[in-house]
Amino acid sequence: MSQQFTPNNPLPQGAKVPTEIAVFSPEVEAEVDRHLAKYPVKRSAILPLMFIVQRERGGWLDPPGVAYLADRLGVRITDIWEVATFYSMINTEPVGKYHLQVCKTLSCKIMGAGMVTAKCSERLGIKPGQTSAKSSAGCRRTRSSPRSKSLLCAGAAARASRRG
Amino acid sequence: MRGRGGAGFPTGMKWGFVPKDSPKPKYVVCNADESEPGTFKDRYLMERDPHMLIEGMLIAAYALGARTNYVYTRGEYRYLIEIMDVALEEARAAGLLGENILGSNFSSEIYTHTGAGAYICGEETALLNSLEGLRGHPRMKPPFPAVAGLYGCPTVVNNVETLTAVPDIIKMGGEAWQKLGTEKSGGTKVWSVSGHVKRPGVYELPMGYDDMEKFIHEDCQGMLGGRKLKAVIPGGSSVYIMPASDIEGKDVRMDYEGLVAAGSMVGSGGFIVMDETVDVFESTKNLTEFYKHESCGWCTPCREGTDWLVKVFKRIEAGEGRPDDAQLLLDIVDNIEGKSFCPLGDAASWPIQSAIKKFPEDFRRKVSNGNGAGNTKEGLPTA
């Protein structure tokens, strides 16, 4: 297995960049092609393709997945990371198998987002930002730590309000 | 019709800015990056009637001569893309989309696109950068997207609600549609109601609906648990907060002019109702944390300013409030508002300005509970 390196955990200076490239099934390749066909410029497909790679590579953009994206989109690896680190739904670090996010922006906060987070923590035995070893569920309270990327307002405020 | 995304720019004028004689391809982009806290009307429109959006986009594409169009949907709404893709397939099968639509020589295609969790991408030039596969930083304006937008080509970016209103405007005629509302604020507005009311949800009201108090207490069936109304943020998190005293018995008309007169704005129509249990210091801190997180980092006033605002809020909350903290917050805001590269800086500023002005007690309590107690020069307006 190649060394795991991410934007927050870069390779030591002078180290050789692993050249392993992720390989996907013909079905996934076809899905990638469908997205690439939508745009006159390949790079436009970067976010849709990141979601596919993330789904296929265990929930995050691992280095072989990043290399695949760079190859398919005809851009550099740094271009991939430049974009990946901007968007909170793209994971550049490993996450749990089940990634729970609880919105805590105003509408949801005043309707009890804190109780939802507390209940999740209690049931899973982990705090926001942690990953449980047993069920491989990660619980991330939005904006819980400086590094945590978060789900802010998810446009579900009306549902949040229907609690009783 | 004024655009329903938040800024309220006249839609026809926006379309009119697209140069007719440009040899470049033209694009229509639907802004479905609905990220303003408390707003969920576009989600509802796309979920329940995707064909209305397709029809509106195709009319826009026909009017502007656009062959390629995109629906930019926020990442959290990716399930809506599945709904849209099915609807697009149905439209194609019916000959309403693709090559030679309805046997005419007009051909146009609509594609769905996903964002990935960035509030700033609702700003139209940031959206275009994101659609080009870049970080979602806003662009310098001018040139406006109508002249140089997607891939440097003439582009119209419109909100979902705006585009879904287009078929009705064509069908009814502009004048009749305008008359649904008032003379200055024509048509209808879709409001997303959340918070402490008995019946939250999505409401389409004629512009100029009379009045906000009736809307809360009758249409939304009043306050949860019979508690008292404390405040309303009527147009998404970035507009000025309204205390109950500015609503009850004040006959606030729900349209552009009525809300400005009442000290706020229509914005995106994200109508957040808060009862007496809410501490406005805390609610404002919550929103400021949101803006800090969502500041894209491109310009200094917004990136640094929102960070400092959160630092001050946290210090006050930790019981280390100082007498002049409210003034400090206003001073920081003064260095953001109107000085940031895009409107996100203003959006972060307005909630704080209005909260300190309208709810000085909530700030005073927090500050004077801190170890900077005994404040005579607290810099707070006396209510």
Side-chain angles (χ1 to χ4, degrees), chain A residues 68-161:
Chain A
Y68 172 84
L69 286 169
D71 183 52
R72 284 292 255 153
L73 294 164
V75 298
R76 293 163 300 184
I77 285 185
T78 47
D79 293 325
I80 301 295
W81 271 352
E82 183 193 359
V83 172
T85 49
F86 186 82
Y87 295 94
S88 57
M89 292 178 75
I90 304 299
N91 299 313
T92 53
E93 305 281 338
V95 293
K97 186 176 175 191
Y98 303 102
H99 187 189
L100 307 181
Q101 291 176 293
V102 182
C103 173
K104 65 166 193 177
T105 301
L106 191 56
S107 293
C108 296
K109 178 195 155 84
I110 63 175
M111 299 310 290
M115 288 190 288
V116 176
T117 310
K119 197 74 194 168
C120 291
S121 286
E122 186 195 314
R123 279 289 288 272
L124 297 166
I126 50 173
K127 286 188 191 132
Q130 294 181 334
T131 303
S132 78
K134 194 172 147 199
S135 64
S136 50
C139 177
R140 187 158 79 180
R141 183 177 57 193
T142 65
R143 297 191 315 245
S144 55
S145 72
R147 230 186 233 177
S148 119
K149 294 181 174 183
S150 51
L151 175 73
L152 294 164
C153 181
R159 288 181 190 159
S161 305

Side-chain angles (χ1 to χ4, degrees), chain B residues 17 21 33 122 143 166 173-174 181 192 225 235 302 356:
Chain B
F17 289 151
D21 50 358
D33 191 68
V166 170
S192 319
C302 177
I356 292 178

Side-chain angles (χ1 to χ4, degrees), chain B residues 187-252:
Chain B
T188 63
K189 171 78 194 112
V190 183
W191 301 85
S192 319
V193 180
S194 66
H196 298 135
V197 286
K198 288 200 183 113
R199 202 172 65 160
V202 178
Y203 292 78
E204 182 173 13
L205 302 179
M207 278 287 190
Y209 187 80
D210 195 23
D211 65 307
M212 191 185 285
E213 186 178 4
K214 181 179 145 211
F215 178 58
I216 295 168
H217 291 294
E218 291 178 23
D219 301 300
C220 301
Q221 296 180 358
M223 302 297 292
L224 265 183
R227 286 189 295 271
K228 278 206 316 227
L229 175 70
K230 177 163 182 175
V232 172
I233 300 175
S237 61
S238 46
V239 307
Y240 297 131
I241 188 169
M242 300 172 72
S245 58
D246 283 358
I247 298 166
E248 288 168 339
K250 288 292 163 72
D251 196 25
V252 177

